[in-house]
Amino acid sequence: MPIIDLRSDTVTKPTDGMREAMARAEVGDDVYGEDPTVNRLQEMAAGLLGKKAALFVPSGTMANQLAIRIQTQPGQEVIVESKAHIVRYEQGAAGALAGVQLHWVTGTRGIMAPEQVEAAIRPQDPYSIQTALICLENTHNSGGGTIYPLATIERIRAVASARRVPMHLDGARLFNAVAATTLPPASYAQHFETVSVCLSKGLGAPAGSLLVTNDLTLIEKARRFRRMYGGAMRQAGILAAAGIYALEHHVGRLQEDHDNAKRLARKLQQIPAVTINPQHVDTNIVIFDVTGHRLTPPALVDALKQDGVLINAIGGGSFRAVTHLDVSAAAIDRAGEVFARLLG
Ligand code: TLP
C-alpha cells in the first residue's frame, strides 16, 4: 500500500526529468559567482518577479531571515502576523540573529487588515521602539493556504509608504497564489522591497529558495549575511538546475493540487466529527478540526499512519493536510475513505 504523505508539500521528491536536469547541470563555484546555473536561476527568478536581482539560498527560513537582517537594526521592531512562519517556525531567528523584536498582529486566517498594520506602526518619538519592517505571508500557511487579496496588499503598501516602512513578502508559496488567481507574480512582488520564494514546496525541487529585490545594495548585503549564516554554497548549480526545472515545469500544474485540496475538504466535510469550511481552502492546504473526538491528536495521527495516510497535528484539535505533485486525485479518494473510517 503506497503511503499518502499529506504532511507537507516539502516532502515531494524530484521527478525523473528534474533529476536529469540536475545531472546535466553546468556548475562552478558560486562563492566566486561562477556557477552559471545558479546565475541563470537568479536571473530567471528576478525576471519572473519583475525585480532586478535575486540570491539563491538553501532554505525559505534563510531567505526570510536575510530579508529581516538586511532591512533592520538590532533593537528595532518587525510587524508580522501572529501565526506567520517567521513567528512560529523559525526558532526565534529574528531575535537571535537580527536582534529585532517581533510585533504580532492577529489577522483573519493569516490576513492582516491595513488598519491593524497602521495601528501597529510605532510613533516616531524618542521613547518608542522603531518599526523597521512589515512582513506578509502569501499564501499564509497556518491561516490555511490563504491568498492575500491584492487589494489588501495595495492598501497595506499605501500605509507602509506613508510611514516610510519597507515591506517583505514571505512568498514561500507565492506561486500557489499565482496559480489560483492567474495574476502575474510581479503584480504581488511590486509592492515589496524584498520577496522570498521557495522552490522546495509545491514546485517540487529538493532544496532552495530565492530572495528577490530591486535594490542591488540589499542583495550585496544579503550575500554577506548568507555567508555569515553558513548558506554560501559552492557547486550549487546541481540544486539550481532543479529550481529552473521546477519553474519551467511545475508552476502550471499547481492548480491540480488546489483541486485535490478542495476534493479532500469536501470529503472531510461529510464526516460529522470534522469541522471544516471547504470555502476556506484557497490553495493546497487543508486545515480541519476534530476537537472532542475520542481519539487524541497523536492517536489519530498514529491511526491514520497505520492506514498509510500521513498528516500533521498543528495544535489543539487541529490538523493540516497539504496536497502536492506526489498526490493524485485517486490518492485523495483513498485518504478520504481512511478519514471517514477512523473519524466516522
Ligand atoms: N514550512 C514548512 C514547515 O516549516 C512548517 C511546512 O511544512 O509548511 N515560509 C513559509 C510560509 C513556510 O511554510 C515555510 C516552510 C518556510 C517559510 C520555510 O521554508 P524552509 O523549510 O525551506 O526553511
Side-chain angles (χ1 to χ4, degrees):
M1 178 184 58
I3 300 286
I4 304 168
D5 194 343
L6 301 171
R7 287 172 303 168
S8 182
D9 46 10
T10 59
V11 303
T12 47
K13 308 231 169 82
T15 60
D16 289 345
M18 185 179 277
R19 284 172 194 266
E20 243 171 72
M22 295 172 77
R24 281 199 317 267
E26 223 188 301
V27 296
D29 191 327
D30 184 46
V31 174
Y32 292 90
E34 288 173 2
D35 189 303
T37 313
V38 169
N39 292 340
R40 191 149 72 86
L41 170 64
Q42 290 176 164
E43 277 162 32
M44 192 176 167
L48 267 174
L49 296 184
K51 301 278 192 207
K52 287 199 185 124
L55 188 71
F56 186 50
V57 299
S59 69
T61 300
M62 189 176 288
N64 283 338
Q65 290 306 323
L66 289 175
I68 292 173
R69 186 65 185 80
I70 62 178
Q71 293 178 97
T72 62
Q73 297 293 330
Q76 293 184 327
E77 193 168 67
V78 173
I79 295 175
V80 61
E81 205 276 331
S82 62
K83 288 184 174 174
H85 195 274
I86 287 170
V87 172
R88 283 185 128 179
Y89 301 123
E90 301 192 2
Q91 302 300 324
L97 303 179
V100 293
Q101 172 170 304
L102 297 181
H103 183 156
W104 306 355
V105 170
T106 301
T108 305
R109 292 192 296 123
I111 308 303
M112 298 185 284
E115 298 72 26
Q116 289 181 294
V117 175
E118 183 156 36
I121 298 175
R122 304 289 183 180
Q124 289 204 331
D125 57 38
Y127 17 84
S128 296
I129 186 169
Q130 291 302 285
T131 305
L133 186 67
I134 297 165
C135 295
L136 271 50
E137 187 175 310
N138 189 22
T139 65
H140 196 291
N141 180 352
S142 298
T146 328
I147 299 170
Y148 241 103
L150 193 54
T152 307
I153 295 177
E154 284 164 359
R155 288 179 53 215
I156 295 177
R157 175 76 247 183
V159 166
S161 295
R163 304 288 293 273
R164 296 181 194 285
V165 183
M167 303 227 295
H168 168 66
L169 176 64
D170 176 352
R173 295 188 180 82
L174 180 63
F175 286 101
N176 291 88
V178 164
T181 59
T182 71
L183 290 167
S187 64
Y188 286 110
Q190 63 177 323
H191 299 295
F192 299 86
E193 274 71 11
T194 53
V195 179
S196 58
V197 289
C198 286
L199 302 164
S200 64
K201 311 249 154 20
L203 296 185
S209 290
L210 291 136
L211 182 65
V212 191
T213 179
N214 260 339
D215 185 333
L216 300 181
T217 316
L218 279 186
I219 277 289
E220 286 323 307
K221 239 174 136 179
R223 194 184 301 281
R224 287 202 179 275
F225 283 110
R226 179 182 69 172
R227 179 79 181 160
M228 181 192 276
Y229 289 2
M233 298 181 285
R234 302 295 181 170
Q235 286 73 33
I238 303 248
L239 289 174
I244 292 171
Y245 186 93
L247 288 172
E248 283 173 347
H249 296 89
H250 292 168
V251 175
R253 58 154 307 287
L254 288 172
Q255 190 52 44
E256 264 178 61
D257 299 342
H258 302 173
D259 294 343
N260 282 336
K262 273 258 193 266
R263 190 181 182 98
L264 179 63
R266 284 194 295 265
K267 287 182 187 297
L268 287 166
Q269 192 188 24
Q270 285 161 19
I271 306 170
V274 174
T275 306
I276 184 170
N277 184 349
Q279 309 269 20
H280 287 169
V281 177
D282 284 355
T283 54
N284 69 328
I285 297 180
V286 182
I287 291 184
F288 61 96
D289 195 275
V290 295
T291 299
H293 194 270
R294 70 182 165 80
L295 290 171
T296 62
L300 177 61
V301 167
D302 263 7
L304 286 163
K305 192 174 174 184
Q306 299 300 320
D307 278 336
V309 178
L310 306 185
I311 62 166
N312 276 335
I314 55 166
S318 290
F319 297 85
R320 184 185 78 154
V322 186
T323 56
H324 51 76
L325 87 169
D326 292 341
V327 177
S328 64
I332 290 297
D333 289 347
R334 192 159 73 73
E337 285 162 23
V338 172
F339 280 114
R341 182 150 33 81
L342 288 173
L343 290 167

